[in-house]
PDB file of all heavy atoms in Angstrom:
ATOM      1  N   TRP A  18      -8.990 -16.335 -23.474  1.00  0.00           N
ATOM      2  CA  TRP A  18      -8.679 -17.233 -22.360  1.00  0.00           C
ATOM      3  C   TRP A  18      -7.174 -17.231 -22.159  1.00  0.00           C
ATOM      4  O   TRP A  18      -6.401 -17.254 -23.123  1.00  0.00           O
ATOM      5  CB  TRP A  18      -9.157 -18.652 -22.658  1.00  0.00           C
ATOM      6  CG  TRP A  18      -8.854 -19.621 -21.546  1.00  0.00           C
ATOM      7  CD1 TRP A  18      -9.582 -19.841 -20.435  1.00  0.00           C
ATOM      8  CD2 TRP A  18      -7.706 -20.488 -21.447  1.00  0.00           C
ATOM      9  NE1 TRP A  18      -8.988 -20.790 -19.638  1.00  0.00           N
ATOM     10  CE2 TRP A  18      -7.820 -21.201 -20.239  1.00  0.00           C
ATOM     11  CE3 TRP A  18      -6.593 -20.718 -22.254  1.00  0.00           C
ATOM     12  CZ2 TRP A  18      -6.877 -22.137 -19.827  1.00  0.00           C
ATOM     13  CZ3 TRP A  18      -5.654 -21.654 -21.835  1.00  0.00           C
ATOM     14  CH2 TRP A  18      -5.809 -22.351 -20.636  1.00  0.00           C
ATOM     15  N   ASN A  19      -6.764 -17.172 -20.906  1.00  0.00           N
ATOM     16  CA  ASN A  19      -5.349 -17.231 -20.539  1.00  0.00           C
ATOM     17  C   ASN A  19      -5.196 -18.287 -19.464  1.00  0.00           C
ATOM     18  O   ASN A  19      -5.995 -18.340 -18.531  1.00  0.00           O
ATOM     19  CB  ASN A  19      -4.860 -15.882 -19.984  1.00  0.00           C
ATOM     20  CG  ASN A  19      -5.036 -14.766 -20.975  1.00  0.00           C
ATOM     21  OD1 ASN A  19      -4.540 -14.841 -22.074  1.00  0.00           O
ATOM     22  ND2 ASN A  19      -5.763 -13.727 -20.590  1.00  0.00           N
ATOM     23  N   GLY A  20      -4.165 -19.097 -19.584  1.00  0.00           N
ATOM     24  CA  GLY A  20      -3.923 -20.117 -18.569  1.00  0.00           C
ATOM     25  C   GLY A  20      -2.746 -20.989 -18.936  1.00  0.00           C
ATOM     26  O   GLY A  20      -1.984 -20.676 -19.846  1.00  0.00           O
ATOM     27  N   GLU A  21      -2.619 -22.068 -18.201  1.00  0.00           N
ATOM     28  CA  GLU A  21      -1.540 -23.012 -18.456  1.00  0.00           C
ATOM     29  C   GLU A  21      -2.115 -24.310 -19.000  1.00  0.00           C
ATOM     30  O   GLU A  21      -3.175 -24.756 -18.569  1.00  0.00           O
ATOM     31  CB  GLU A  21      -0.747 -23.297 -17.176  1.00  0.00           C
ATOM     32  CG  GLU A  21       0.069 -22.120 -16.721  1.00  0.00           C
ATOM     33  CD  GLU A  21       0.927 -22.416 -15.509  1.00  0.00           C
ATOM     34  OE1 GLU A  21       0.961 -23.577 -15.032  1.00  0.00           O
ATOM     35  OE2 GLU A  21       1.585 -21.475 -15.034  1.00  0.00           O
ATOM     36  N   ILE A  22      -1.392 -24.876 -19.936  1.00  0.00           N
ATOM     37  CA  ILE A  22      -1.767 -26.155 -20.528  1.00  0.00           C
ATOM     38  C   ILE A  22      -0.598 -27.112 -20.323  1.00  0.00           C
ATOM     39  O   ILE A  22       0.558 -26.747 -20.549  1.00  0.00           O
ATOM     40  CB  ILE A  22      -2.061 -26.017 -22.042  1.00  0.00           C
ATOM     41  CG1 ILE A  22      -3.286 -25.136 -22.262  1.00  0.00           C
ATOM     42  CG2 ILE A  22      -2.240 -27.378 -22.688  1.00  0.00           C
ATOM     43  CD1 ILE A  22      -3.577 -24.866 -23.727  1.00  0.00           C
ATOM     44  N   VAL A  33       4.864 -27.771 -20.156  1.00  0.00           N
ATOM     45  CA  VAL A  33       3.906 -26.814 -19.613  1.00  0.00           C
ATOM     46  C   VAL A  33       3.978 -25.553 -20.472  1.00  0.00           C
ATOM     47  O   VAL A  33       5.068 -25.015 -20.715  1.00  0.00           O
ATOM     48  CB  VAL A  33       4.215 -26.479 -18.135  1.00  0.00           C
ATOM     49  CG1 VAL A  33       3.179 -25.504 -17.582  1.00  0.00           C
ATOM     50  CG2 VAL A  33       4.272 -27.745 -17.294  1.00  0.00           C
ATOM     51  N   PHE A  34       2.816 -25.096 -20.904  1.00  0.00           N
ATOM     52  CA  PHE A  34       2.741 -23.904 -21.743  1.00  0.00           C
ATOM     53  C   PHE A  34       1.868 -22.847 -21.083  1.00  0.00           C
ATOM     54  O   PHE A  34       0.804 -23.156 -20.548  1.00  0.00           O
ATOM     55  CB  PHE A  34       2.126 -24.243 -23.116  1.00  0.00           C
ATOM     56  CG  PHE A  34       2.954 -25.168 -23.946  1.00  0.00           C
ATOM     57  CD1 PHE A  34       2.724 -26.531 -23.940  1.00  0.00           C
ATOM     58  CD2 PHE A  34       3.973 -24.662 -24.733  1.00  0.00           C
ATOM     59  CE1 PHE A  34       3.487 -27.391 -24.703  1.00  0.00           C
ATOM     60  CE2 PHE A  34       4.747 -25.514 -25.503  1.00  0.00           C
ATOM     61  CZ  PHE A  34       4.505 -26.882 -25.484  1.00  0.00           C
ATOM     62  N   SER A  35       2.337 -21.616 -21.122  1.00  0.00           N
ATOM     63  CA  SER A  35       1.492 -20.474 -20.786  1.00  0.00           C
ATOM     64  C   SER A  35       0.776 -20.137 -22.088  1.00  0.00           C
ATOM     65  O   SER A  35       1.427 -19.867 -23.105  1.00  0.00           O
ATOM     66  CB  SER A  35       2.346 -19.297 -20.316  1.00  0.00           C
ATOM     67  OG  SER A  35       1.533 -18.162 -20.121  1.00  0.00           O
ATOM     68  N   THR A  36      -0.546 -20.174 -22.045  1.00  0.00           N
ATOM     69  CA  THR A  36      -1.324 -20.078 -23.272  1.00  0.00           C
ATOM     70  C   THR A  36      -2.291 -18.896 -23.248  1.00  0.00           C
ATOM     71  O   THR A  36      -2.930 -18.630 -22.229  1.00  0.00           O
ATOM     72  CB  THR A  36      -2.127 -21.385 -23.488  1.00  0.00           C
ATOM     73  OG1 THR A  36      -1.213 -22.481 -23.504  1.00  0.00           O
ATOM     74  CG2 THR A  36      -2.920 -21.355 -24.778  1.00  0.00           C
ATOM     75  N   ASN A  37      -2.362 -18.206 -24.365  1.00  0.00           N
ATOM     76  CA  ASN A  37      -3.341 -17.133 -24.580  1.00  0.00           C
ATOM     77  C   ASN A  37      -4.137 -17.485 -25.829  1.00  0.00           C
ATOM     78  O   ASN A  37      -3.557 -17.760 -26.880  1.00  0.00           O
ATOM     79  CB  ASN A  37      -2.654 -15.779 -24.790  1.00  0.00           C
ATOM     80  CG  ASN A  37      -1.855 -15.364 -23.586  1.00  0.00           C
ATOM     81  OD1 ASN A  37      -2.357 -15.360 -22.486  1.00  0.00           O
ATOM     82  ND2 ASN A  37      -0.585 -15.047 -23.798  1.00  0.00           N
ATOM     83  N   VAL A  54      -1.576 -18.633 -28.751  1.00  0.00           N
ATOM     84  CA  VAL A  54      -0.160 -18.321 -28.549  1.00  0.00           C
ATOM     85  C   VAL A  54       0.315 -19.101 -27.334  1.00  0.00           C
ATOM     86  O   VAL A  54      -0.250 -18.964 -26.243  1.00  0.00           O
ATOM     87  CB  VAL A  54       0.067 -16.805 -28.338  1.00  0.00           C
ATOM     88  CG1 VAL A  54       1.541 -16.514 -28.094  1.00  0.00           C
ATOM     89  CG2 VAL A  54      -0.461 -16.013 -29.526  1.00  0.00           C
ATOM     90  N   ASN A  55       1.329 -19.922 -27.538  1.00  0.00           N
ATOM     91  CA  ASN A  55       1.899 -20.728 -26.453  1.00  0.00           C
ATOM     92  C   ASN A  55       3.320 -20.273 -26.162  1.00  0.00           C
ATOM     93  O   ASN A  55       4.073 -19.967 -27.081  1.00  0.00           O
ATOM     94  CB  ASN A  55       1.945 -22.214 -26.845  1.00  0.00           C
ATOM     95  CG  ASN A  55       0.598 -22.857 -26.778  1.00  0.00           C
ATOM     96  OD1 ASN A  55      -0.151 -22.634 -25.848  1.00  0.00           O
ATOM     97  ND2 ASN A  55       0.281 -23.675 -27.773  1.00  0.00           N
ATOM     98  N   HIS A  56       3.646 -20.271 -24.884  1.00  0.00           N
ATOM     99  CA  HIS A  56       5.017 -20.004 -24.455  1.00  0.00           C
ATOM    100  C   HIS A  56       5.428 -21.171 -23.572  1.00  0.00           C
ATOM    101  O   HIS A  56       4.782 -21.426 -22.551  1.00  0.00           O
ATOM    102  CB  HIS A  56       5.083 -18.672 -23.687  1.00  0.00           C
ATOM    103  CG  HIS A  56       6.425 -18.359 -23.141  1.00  0.00           C
ATOM    104  ND1 HIS A  56       7.486 -17.995 -23.932  1.00  0.00           N
ATOM    105  CD2 HIS A  56       6.884 -18.360 -21.863  1.00  0.00           C
ATOM    106  CE1 HIS A  56       8.537 -17.788 -23.167  1.00  0.00           C
ATOM    107  NE2 HIS A  56       8.203 -18.002 -21.908  1.00  0.00           N
ATOM    108  N   ASN A  57       6.467 -21.878 -23.966  1.00  0.00           N
ATOM    109  CA  ASN A  57       6.924 -23.047 -23.221  1.00  0.00           C
ATOM    110  C   ASN A  57       7.557 -22.588 -21.905  1.00  0.00           C
ATOM    111  O   ASN A  57       8.602 -21.947 -21.885  1.00  0.00           O
ATOM    112  CB  ASN A  57       7.929 -23.841 -24.053  1.00  0.00           C
ATOM    113  CG  ASN A  57       8.307 -25.155 -23.402  1.00  0.00           C
ATOM    114  OD1 ASN A  57       8.090 -25.378 -22.221  1.00  0.00           O
ATOM    115  ND2 ASN A  57       8.889 -26.039 -24.200  1.00  0.00           N
ATOM    116  N   ILE A  58       6.920 -22.922 -20.781  1.00  0.00           N
ATOM    117  CA  ILE A  58       7.420 -22.540 -19.462  1.00  0.00           C
ATOM    118  C   ILE A  58       7.806 -23.773 -18.642  1.00  0.00           C
ATOM    119  O   ILE A  58       7.896 -23.706 -17.419  1.00  0.00           O
ATOM    120  CB  ILE A  58       6.398 -21.673 -18.699  1.00  0.00           C
ATOM    121  CG1 ILE A  58       5.065 -22.410 -18.502  1.00  0.00           C
ATOM    122  CG2 ILE A  58       6.183 -20.344 -19.402  1.00  0.00           C
ATOM    123  CD1 ILE A  58       4.100 -21.727 -17.561  1.00  0.00           C
ATOM    124  N   THR A  59       8.070 -24.872 -19.324  1.00  0.00           N
ATOM    125  CA  THR A  59       8.394 -26.122 -18.644  1.00  0.00           C
ATOM    126  C   THR A  59       9.586 -25.946 -17.708  1.00  0.00           C
ATOM    127  O   THR A  59       9.531 -26.331 -16.533  1.00  0.00           O
ATOM    128  CB  THR A  59       8.678 -27.236 -19.667  1.00  0.00           C
ATOM    129  OG1 THR A  59       7.563 -27.343 -20.556  1.00  0.00           O
ATOM    130  CG2 THR A  59       8.931 -28.571 -18.984  1.00  0.00           C
TER     131      THR A  59
END
Side-chain angles (χ1 to χ4, degrees):
W18 180 84
N19 301 304
E21 290 184 4
I22 295 176
V33 181
F34 295 95
S35 174
T36 303
N37 298 308
V54 179
N55 284 317
H56 176 71
N57 187 343
I58 59 170
T59 305

